[in-house]
Amino acid sequence: MTLLSSSARPVPRLAIVLALFAAACGEKATTTGSTAGGTVVFAIPGEAEHLMPPVIQTIAAKQIVDQIYAPLAEVGAGGGTLGDVGFVPRAAARWTWSSDSGAIDFHMRPGARFHDGHGVSAADAKFSYELYADPAVASPHLSAFPKIDSMTVPDSMTLRVYFGERTPERFFKLATNLMILPKHLLEQVARDGLGASAPAQSPIGSGPYRFVKWERGVSLELAADTTNVEGRPTLDRVIWRPATDPNAATRSVVAGEADFTENLRPEGMAMVTPGLPVRTVEYAAPMVGYLLFNTRSTANRQQPHPVLGDPAVRRALAGAIDRSAVVRNALDSLAVLAHGPLPRTSWAYDTTVALPAFDVAGAQAALDAAGWKLAAGDSVRSRNGQRLRVSLLVPSVSATRRQMATVVSAQLKTVGVDVVVEALEPSVLLPRLGTGKFDAFIHVWQSDASPSTMVQAWGGRDLERSQNYGWYVNTAVDSLLGLATAAPTLAAARPLYTSAANLIAADAPAVFLWEPRSFALSHTRIKFVSLRADAWWSGIRSWTIPAGERLPRDEIGR
């Protein structure tokens, strides 16, 4: 599953604790009377749009739904995605394959219950998949699932899945993406209105934490499910407080109003002074930031964009952008240049992907050749009476992306492009992206543990239900990604992913700019081993606060 970041995801560096995949993030909490207790307040830029897993689009929402709901299984400590070895059982206690490996039985965990006391069954799991797959739901995450021929329920606690493909990652794609939802509460909810439904605002799941209350713009509170069949989570409460931007979130942690924020920026790092009861934690996050071009007309998505539908124009714009200057201006040394659509945390990452070179003269010549000319005395190119104007969207909550947009606008102006920057609230921005009502957007893409998520961002076979917001299509890319996801080994898959990345880079549906070096800021009383690269929040159930270090707010609710 891949999601849209509501914040900039930049990051700083000082003395830090390096964290890669968590050693204990996916493990069952073993809680004793002396370790249980405490409250962690998260200060996060932006706010969840709602809490209905099939239709969420932001990381802010994902952090929370992963505490409320349980998938069939989770990625284990090693982060592997091939086969079914190393995964941590969650809603499914175990699984068995058919003799030909074409089907799998998930045996649901005995005694598991939703937070309203209703038992979790195989019927809930089957119903949950049907929600994700229903065209009326229009889940943006369906393309992350493997092909499924059918599902049956041989008995109340067994979900049988017949796969339509025998790819090495089919277990990973199904088990980690399928959040188990309560059929008894959702079967009467209109499929085309899930995100606006009552259960999306006050959800009931079977995960480690249950929903308590949500005051929009102020806070959202979850409490430990003390009767959870896997064992109660260690913390009593977890609270999310939205912040206007990463620096505001950092200020709240430094001031002692919050305990943890995931997204330190350079200005935030300067706030971390000696003597404060906080620590910085660097973790490897699978994210790539890029300038995304809409290849389709904003008026009719079946038609090419009048400017950006032309690959030659996109390549020219890419060549006019000094990526190093953009990243250095906004993040200094706190990010690295991107090398294509995959982050450096991916096993398919390849620094040899050939990105368009910075070449202003070449960009000007290419625009001339495409018919976009500069008239005498004019600073903006035009063609057949149309001026070369591009609207560039950025999230208003992201100071980093606003700053990058300013630099990009100035650089493109030098080759005769008029860039109009629009900073929009996420509630306005997301619908514009989903309906193609934009020219360009500075995007931060967060992948999961598998490079197959390239299909969601760049695949052209299911545009209506993917997160390919620019509607980029290259059938050769689709073929290569199909072969890569079906490859039996990493060695066989890696060159296929690289070939697909090179084709994408040559088509320039985006200008790949940066990969953030991600830093969190945590109160020192909070103890955790490390932060998992693809989901730092995955181990919250096992975080602890020693009894002797607790603050007054840690005792609330006990």
Side-chain angles (χ1 to χ4, degrees):
M1 178 179 293
T2 44
L3 293 153
L4 176 68
S5 170
S6 60
S7 61
R9 303 281 186 174
V11 269
R13 194 185 261 268
L14 259 193
I16 31 172
V17 179
L18 178 63
L20 297 176
F21 271 92
C25 280
E27 314 220 340
K28 177 177 177 179
T30 53
T31 305
T32 66
S34 60
T35 60
T39 295
V40 172
V41 178
F42 297 96
I44 303 297
E47 186 171 26
E49 65 275 31
H50 56 73
L51 300 173
M52 183 56 63
V55 288
I56 60 170
Q57 296 191 67
T58 65
I59 294 172
K62 178 64 172 170
Q63 294 167 9
I64 300 168
V65 301
D66 278 4
Q67 315 308 319
I68 298 172
Y69 297 96
L72 291 168
E74 282 185 353
V75 172
T81 63
L82 301 184
D84 68 343
V85 176
F87 287 83
V88 179
R90 288 302 181 209
R94 59 188 180 89
W95 42 86
T96 54
W97 291 88
S98 63
S99 58
D100 65 355
S101 299
I104 188 172
D105 283 352
F106 287 98
H107 305 281
M108 305 303 287
R109 190 177 292 277
R113 294 189 174 277
F114 289 106
H115 301 145
D116 63 354
H118 197 282
V120 179
S121 71
D124 293 300
K126 181 174 182 290
F127 170 80
S128 299
Y129 176 75
E130 290 167 351
L131 282 185
Y132 280 93
D134 190 333
V137 173
S139 173
H141 310 299
L142 182 60
S143 61
F145 283 78
K147 292 179 181 177
I148 303 293
D149 277 345
S150 63
M151 286 187 180
T152 62
V153 180
D155 60 63
S156 64
M157 297 301 286
T158 303
L159 174 71
R160 180 165 296 164
V161 180
Y162 295 90
F163 289 102
E165 61 181 8
R166 299 195 182 190
T167 58
E169 290 186 323
R170 63 192 184 279
F171 179 89
F172 160 75
K173 290 182 176 181
L174 176 61
T176 64
N177 284 314
L178 183 59
M179 290 291 183
I180 308 306
L181 308 171
K183 178 180 179 181
H184 65 289
L185 296 177
L186 294 176
E187 59 184 339
Q188 300 303 319
V189 175
R191 298 291 178 92
D192 60 357
L194 278 181
S197 67
Q201 317 308 316
S202 52
I204 291 176
S206 61
Y209 288 92
R210 58 180 176 80
F211 177 83
V212 176
K213 60 183 178 180
W214 187 1
E215 185 178 353
R216 283 196 173 272
V218 179
S219 67
L220 185 149
E221 180 178 340
L222 308 180
D225 177 14
T226 57
T227 62
N228 191 280
V229 68
E230 292 191 67
R232 66 153 289 165
T234 314
L235 299 169
D236 283 338
R237 296 187 309 159
V238 285
I239 297 171
W240 274 260
R241 289 182 180 165
T244 55
D245 57 55
N247 288 337
T250 300
R251 281 192 291 272
S252 66
V253 175
V254 169
E257 299 164 353
D259 301 306
F260 186 99
T261 187
E262 48 147 347
N263 191 15
L264 275 175
R265 297 187 70 247
E267 300 90 340
M269 185 62 79
M271 303 178 200
V272 182
T273 56
L276 290 173
V278 295
R279 61 176 174 138
T280 55
V281 184
E282 184 178 12
Y283 61 101
M287 293 183 286
V288 178
Y290 49 87
L291 172 63
L292 176 68
F293 296 129
N294 187 0
T295 68
R296 303 299 179 91
S297 167
T298 59
N300 180 357
R301 301 198 84 177
Q302 302 309 313
Q303 300 296 322
H305 192 284
V307 176
L308 302 171
D310 183 350
V313 171
R314 298 196 301 266
R315 285 192 289 269
L317 299 187
I321 295 173
D322 183 349
R323 300 187 305 133
S324 294
V326 173
V327 175
R328 186 171 59 250
N329 180 278
L331 293 166
D332 196 16
S333 61
L334 307 178
V336 298
L337 284 178
H339 282 283
L342 286 173
R344 63 194 186 281
T345 56
S346 173
W347 53 260
Y349 178 71
D350 192 335
T351 59
T352 68
V353 172
L355 299 177
F358 175 49
D359 180 1
V360 172
Q364 291 170 328
L367 290 173
D368 284 339
W372 294 97
K373 307 282 188 175
L374 266 177
D378 200 348
S379 62
V380 178
R381 293 174 180 268
S382 60
R383 184 178 68 181
N384 299 327
Q386 179 186 358
R387 293 173 73 76
L388 185 48
R389 177 174 289 114
V390 173
S391 170
L392 174 55
L393 304 188
V394 292
S396 60
V397 297
S398 173
T400 294
R401 282 187 267 181
R402 294 199 310 269
Q403 190 170 345
M404 286 184 172
T406 299
V407 179
V408 167
S409 175
Q411 291 183 352
L412 291 180
K413 183 178 180 179
T414 66
V415 297
V417 183
D418 181 18
V419 178
V420 180
V421 178
E422 294 185 73
L424 302 177
E425 292 295 321
S427 61
V428 178
L429 176 61
L430 288 173
R432 295 254 318 249
L433 292 178
T435 56
K437 304 297 184 186
F438 72 101
D439 294 332
F441 169 55
I442 299 185
H443 196 1
V444 177
W445 179 261
Q446 174 151 342
S447 178
D448 59 25
S450 169
S452 65
T453 54
M454 282 178 67
V455 174
Q456 288 178 271
W458 306 109
R461 291 177 175 167
D462 190 13
L463 293 173
E464 294 284 356
R465 292 189 290 183
S466 74
Q467 289 180 311
N468 181 352
Y469 295 116
W471 275 37
Y472 164 71
V473 176
N474 182 322
T475 55
V477 169
D478 291 337
S479 295
L480 285 166
L481 291 178
L483 291 170
T485 57
T489 65
L490 301 185
R494 188 175 288 110
L496 295 167
Y497 280 119
T498 295
S499 294
N502 272 307
L503 284 180
I504 292 169
D507 283 342
V511 181
F512 297 102
L513 294 173
W514 84 102
E515 291 186 55
R517 294 174 55 208
S518 297
F519 289 73
L521 182 65
S522 174
H523 195 284
T524 54
R525 79 187 194 288
I526 301 169
K527 313 302 179 187
F528 49 82
V529 176
S530 55
L531 303 174
R532 204 176 87 188
D534 62 321
W536 63 260
W537 56 89
S538 64
I540 288 174
R541 72 177 72 210
S542 62
W543 291 12
T544 61
I545 300 177
E549 299 181 38
R550 291 176 188 165
L551 304 175
R553 67 167 168 263
D554 291 317
E555 307 302 328
I556 295 175
R558 290 186 65 76

